[in-house]
Amino acid sequence: MQYQDFNFHTHTYRCGHAVKTEDDYIQSAIQSGFKVLGFSEHCGYEGFDSPRERIPFKEMDNYFSDIKNAEEKYKSDIKIYVGLEFEYFDDLNSYYTELKEKYDYLIIGQHLKDRKGYDYTYRCTDKDVRYMAYQVCTALENGFTKYVAHPDYFMLARDNYSKDCETAVREIVQCAKKNNAIVEINLKGMRYGIQQYDGYKSYKYPHSKTIEIYKEENAKVVIGYDAHNPQVLLQREYEEIARRIGEGLEILQDYREILFDKKR
């Protein structure tokens, strides 16, 4: 099997729930045959630090500088890009515009409803699912990202994939297509194992019904390792599973489609 030779969903110790430094991830990536590695640390927000969830806001500049230094250090071995995984909030458009100017790319990974503690990891009603789709689609429409991470992340907090879930994911996929963006098959979600639902089994995410929607909508997809440990980049067997369940989908070949135009 020919494996993807790039990964743009990579974290480091800075977010508080991943381990090891950028050097460790880069060395694992090289060992595993990757030619391109993008770092997408969980974005920090002024006045909303959460030490176990995202990089402290005051450390954002240091993170950027450290990854740029790594880009230079390893330039003869692997291509490095610096990005962020962010959540969309309506009142931060000027901040996202600044980030877009500075970073090579941004990933939208909507874990939060707001900056007051409402986390989709632990609760996500049908109404919340639709609002999450609004958040992701607004980020896409505003041009803040070309990469949608785990659009069915809400399944961590749910035991059923309702009609609203189907509608929300379909809205996200259609919006991504409209804005020349990519949706992700997230390998980290597989590590939660296969769950029993009403009459069928599936990973929580990527959920089987999400994959069905991808296929129905002819979505262009990317495989995201969502690495929180360098060893993940060596575990290619999860990519094999993703390719099996996503058989027939158009899997991204040119990673430059993830980058902002001026960074290509």
Short mmCIF file of all heavy atoms in Angstrom, two decimals, residues 176-202:
data_model
loop_
_atom_site.label_atom_id
_atom_site.label_comp_id
_atom_site.label_asym_id
_atom_site.label_seq_id
_atom_site.Cartn_x
_atom_site.Cartn_y
_atom_site.Cartn_z
N ALA A 176 -17.47 22.90 2.51
CA ALA A 176 -16.06 22.68 2.21
C ALA A 176 -15.85 22.61 0.70
O ALA A 176 -14.92 23.24 0.16
CB ALA A 176 -15.58 21.40 2.89
N LYS A 177 -16.70 21.88 0.01
CA LYS A 177 -16.58 21.77 -1.44
C LYS A 177 -16.73 23.14 -2.11
O LYS A 177 -15.96 23.50 -3.00
CB LYS A 177 -17.62 20.81 -1.99
CG LYS A 177 -17.36 19.35 -1.68
CD LYS A 177 -18.42 18.46 -2.27
CE LYS A 177 -18.41 18.49 -3.78
NZ LYS A 177 -19.41 17.56 -4.37
N LYS A 178 -17.70 23.90 -1.65
CA LYS A 178 -17.95 25.22 -2.21
C LYS A 178 -16.74 26.13 -2.06
O LYS A 178 -16.47 26.98 -2.94
CB LYS A 178 -19.16 25.85 -1.51
CG LYS A 178 -19.48 27.27 -1.92
CD LYS A 178 -20.64 27.82 -1.09
CE LYS A 178 -20.88 29.29 -1.38
NZ LYS A 178 -21.94 29.85 -0.50
N ASN A 179 -15.99 25.94 -0.97
CA ASN A 179 -14.85 26.81 -0.68
C ASN A 179 -13.50 26.15 -0.94
O ASN A 179 -12.47 26.59 -0.42
CB ASN A 179 -14.95 27.28 0.77
CG ASN A 179 -16.10 28.25 0.99
OD1 ASN A 179 -16.00 29.42 0.67
ND2 ASN A 179 -17.21 27.74 1.52
N ASN A 180 -13.51 25.09 -1.76
CA ASN A 180 -12.28 24.39 -2.16
C ASN A 180 -11.46 23.93 -0.94
O ASN A 180 -10.23 24.09 -0.90
CB ASN A 180 -11.42 25.30 -3.06
CG ASN A 180 -12.12 25.66 -4.35
OD1 ASN A 180 -12.70 24.79 -5.00
ND2 ASN A 180 -12.10 26.93 -4.71
N ALA A 181 -12.16 23.39 0.04
CA ALA A 181 -11.53 22.90 1.25
C ALA A 181 -11.63 21.37 1.32
O ALA A 181 -12.38 20.74 0.56
CB ALA A 181 -12.16 23.53 2.48
N ILE A 182 -10.89 20.80 2.24
CA ILE A 182 -10.76 19.36 2.40
C ILE A 182 -11.38 18.95 3.73
O ILE A 182 -11.23 19.66 4.73
CB ILE A 182 -9.27 18.94 2.40
CG1 ILE A 182 -8.47 19.67 1.32
CG2 ILE A 182 -9.13 17.43 2.26
CD1 ILE A 182 -8.94 19.49 -0.07
N VAL A 183 -12.05 17.80 3.76
CA VAL A 183 -12.53 17.25 5.03
C VAL A 183 -11.67 16.04 5.40
O VAL A 183 -11.13 15.36 4.54
CB VAL A 183 -14.02 16.86 4.96
CG1 VAL A 183 -14.88 18.11 4.88
CG2 VAL A 183 -14.31 15.92 3.81
N GLU A 184 -11.59 15.79 6.68
CA GLU A 184 -10.61 14.85 7.20
C GLU A 184 -11.23 13.49 7.57
O GLU A 184 -12.34 13.41 8.07
CB GLU A 184 -9.96 15.45 8.45
CG GLU A 184 -8.86 14.61 9.09
CD GLU A 184 -8.40 15.18 10.42
OE1 GLU A 184 -9.23 15.24 11.36
OE2 GLU A 184 -7.22 15.56 10.52
N ILE A 185 -10.45 12.44 7.33
CA ILE A 185 -10.65 11.16 8.00
C ILE A 185 -9.63 11.13 9.13
O ILE A 185 -8.42 11.03 8.88
CB ILE A 185 -10.47 9.97 7.06
CG1 ILE A 185 -11.50 10.01 5.92
CG2 ILE A 185 -10.58 8.66 7.82
CD1 ILE A 185 -11.36 8.88 4.92
N ASN A 186 -10.10 11.24 10.35
CA ASN A 186 -9.24 11.44 11.51
C ASN A 186 -8.87 10.11 12.14
O ASN A 186 -9.74 9.35 12.58
CB ASN A 186 -9.95 12.35 12.51
CG ASN A 186 -9.10 12.69 13.71
OD1 ASN A 186 -8.94 11.88 14.63
ND2 ASN A 186 -8.53 13.89 13.70
N LEU A 187 -7.58 9.83 12.21
CA LEU A 187 -7.13 8.54 12.72
C LEU A 187 -7.18 8.46 14.24
O LEU A 187 -7.31 7.36 14.80
CB LEU A 187 -5.71 8.25 12.23
CG LEU A 187 -5.49 8.24 10.72
CD1 LEU A 187 -4.10 7.69 10.38
CD2 LEU A 187 -6.56 7.44 10.00
N LYS A 188 -7.09 9.58 14.92
CA LYS A 188 -7.12 9.55 16.39
C LYS A 188 -8.46 9.01 16.89
O LYS A 188 -8.52 8.31 17.90
CB LYS A 188 -6.87 10.95 16.96
CG LYS A 188 -6.84 11.01 18.48
CD LYS A 188 -6.41 12.40 18.95
CE LYS A 188 -6.34 12.47 20.47
NZ LYS A 188 -7.68 12.53 21.07
N GLY A 189 -9.54 9.35 16.20
CA GLY A 189 -10.85 8.89 16.63
C GLY A 189 -10.98 7.38 16.64
O GLY A 189 -11.76 6.81 17.43
N MET A 190 -10.20 6.70 15.80
CA MET A 190 -10.25 5.25 15.76
C MET A 190 -9.77 4.63 17.07
O MET A 190 -10.15 3.50 17.41
CB MET A 190 -9.41 4.73 14.60
CG MET A 190 -9.94 5.09 13.23
SD MET A 190 -8.86 4.45 11.93
CE MET A 190 -9.76 5.00 10.47
N ARG A 191 -8.96 5.37 17.79
CA ARG A 191 -8.37 4.83 19.02
C ARG A 191 -9.38 4.71 20.15
O ARG A 191 -9.09 4.08 21.18
CB ARG A 191 -7.16 5.68 19.43
CG ARG A 191 -6.06 5.63 18.38
CD ARG A 191 -4.93 6.60 18.65
NE ARG A 191 -4.00 6.60 17.55
CZ ARG A 191 -2.98 5.75 17.41
NH1 ARG A 191 -2.77 4.84 18.35
NH2 ARG A 191 -2.18 5.80 16.36
N TYR A 192 -10.56 5.29 19.98
CA TYR A 192 -11.63 5.10 20.95
C TYR A 192 -12.33 3.75 20.75
O TYR A 192 -13.15 3.35 21.59
CB TYR A 192 -12.65 6.22 20.85
CG TYR A 192 -12.12 7.57 21.26
CD1 TYR A 192 -11.73 8.52 20.31
CD2 TYR A 192 -11.99 7.91 22.61
CE1 TYR A 192 -11.24 9.75 20.68
CE2 TYR A 192 -11.50 9.16 22.99
CZ TYR A 192 -11.12 10.06 22.02
OH TYR A 192 -10.62 11.29 22.40
N GLY A 193 -12.00 3.08 19.66
CA GLY A 193 -12.55 1.77 19.41
C GLY A 193 -13.89 1.80 18.69
O GLY A 193 -14.48 2.86 18.48
N ILE A 194 -14.36 0.62 18.33
CA ILE A 194 -15.65 0.46 17.66
C ILE A 194 -16.75 0.37 18.70
O ILE A 194 -16.64 -0.36 19.68
CB ILE A 194 -15.64 -0.78 16.75
CG1 ILE A 194 -14.64 -0.56 15.60
CG2 ILE A 194 -17.03 -1.07 16.20
CD1 ILE A 194 -14.48 -1.76 14.69
N GLN A 195 -17.82 1.13 18.47
CA GLN A 195 -18.93 1.22 19.41
C GLN A 195 -20.18 0.56 18.82
O GLN A 195 -20.34 0.48 17.61
CB GLN A 195 -19.25 2.69 19.72
CG GLN A 195 -18.04 3.53 20.11
CD GLN A 195 -17.45 3.15 21.44
OE1 GLN A 195 -18.19 2.89 22.39
NE2 GLN A 195 -16.13 3.09 21.52
N GLN A 196 -21.06 0.11 19.70
CA GLN A 196 -22.34 -0.46 19.28
C GLN A 196 -23.39 0.64 19.25
O GLN A 196 -23.60 1.35 20.23
CB GLN A 196 -22.79 -1.56 20.25
CG GLN A 196 -24.11 -2.20 19.89
CD GLN A 196 -24.04 -3.02 18.60
OE1 GLN A 196 -23.18 -3.88 18.45
NE2 GLN A 196 -24.94 -2.73 17.67
N TYR A 197 -24.04 0.80 18.10
CA TYR A 197 -25.15 1.74 17.96
C TYR A 197 -26.43 0.95 17.70
O TYR A 197 -26.43 -0.28 17.81
CB TYR A 197 -24.85 2.75 16.85
CG TYR A 197 -23.69 3.66 17.20
CD1 TYR A 197 -22.39 3.35 16.79
CD2 TYR A 197 -23.88 4.80 17.97
CE1 TYR A 197 -21.32 4.16 17.14
CE2 TYR A 197 -22.81 5.62 18.32
CZ TYR A 197 -21.54 5.29 17.91
OH TYR A 197 -20.49 6.09 18.27
N ASP A 198 -27.48 1.62 17.38
CA ASP A 198 -28.77 0.96 17.18
C ASP A 198 -28.76 0.17 15.88
O ASP A 198 -29.09 0.68 14.81
CB ASP A 198 -29.88 2.01 17.18
CG ASP A 198 -31.27 1.38 17.11
OD1 ASP A 198 -31.38 0.17 17.38
OD2 ASP A 198 -32.23 2.10 16.78
N GLY A 199 -28.37 -1.10 15.97
CA GLY A 199 -28.40 -1.97 14.81
C GLY A 199 -27.12 -2.02 14.00
O GLY A 199 -27.07 -2.69 12.97
N TYR A 200 -26.08 -1.32 14.42
CA TYR A 200 -24.83 -1.34 13.67
C TYR A 200 -23.67 -0.95 14.59
O TYR A 200 -23.87 -0.46 15.69
CB TYR A 200 -24.89 -0.40 12.47
CG TYR A 200 -24.96 1.07 12.82
CD1 TYR A 200 -23.83 1.87 12.81
CD2 TYR A 200 -26.18 1.66 13.17
CE1 TYR A 200 -23.90 3.22 13.14
CE2 TYR A 200 -26.26 3.00 13.48
CZ TYR A 200 -25.12 3.78 13.47
OH TYR A 200 -25.19 5.11 13.80
N LYS A 201 -22.45 -1.16 14.09
CA LYS A 201 -21.25 -0.79 14.83
C LYS A 201 -20.46 0.23 14.02
O LYS A 201 -20.49 0.23 12.79
CB LYS A 201 -20.38 -2.02 15.10
CG LYS A 201 -21.01 -3.04 16.04
CD LYS A 201 -20.08 -4.22 16.28
CE LYS A 201 -20.70 -5.22 17.24
NZ LYS A 201 -19.79 -6.38 17.48
N SER A 202 -19.75 1.08 14.74
CA SER A 202 -18.96 2.12 14.06
C SER A 202 -17.95 2.69 15.04
O SER A 202 -18.13 2.61 16.27
CB SER A 202 -19.87 3.25 13.56
OG SER A 202 -19.10 4.32 13.04
#
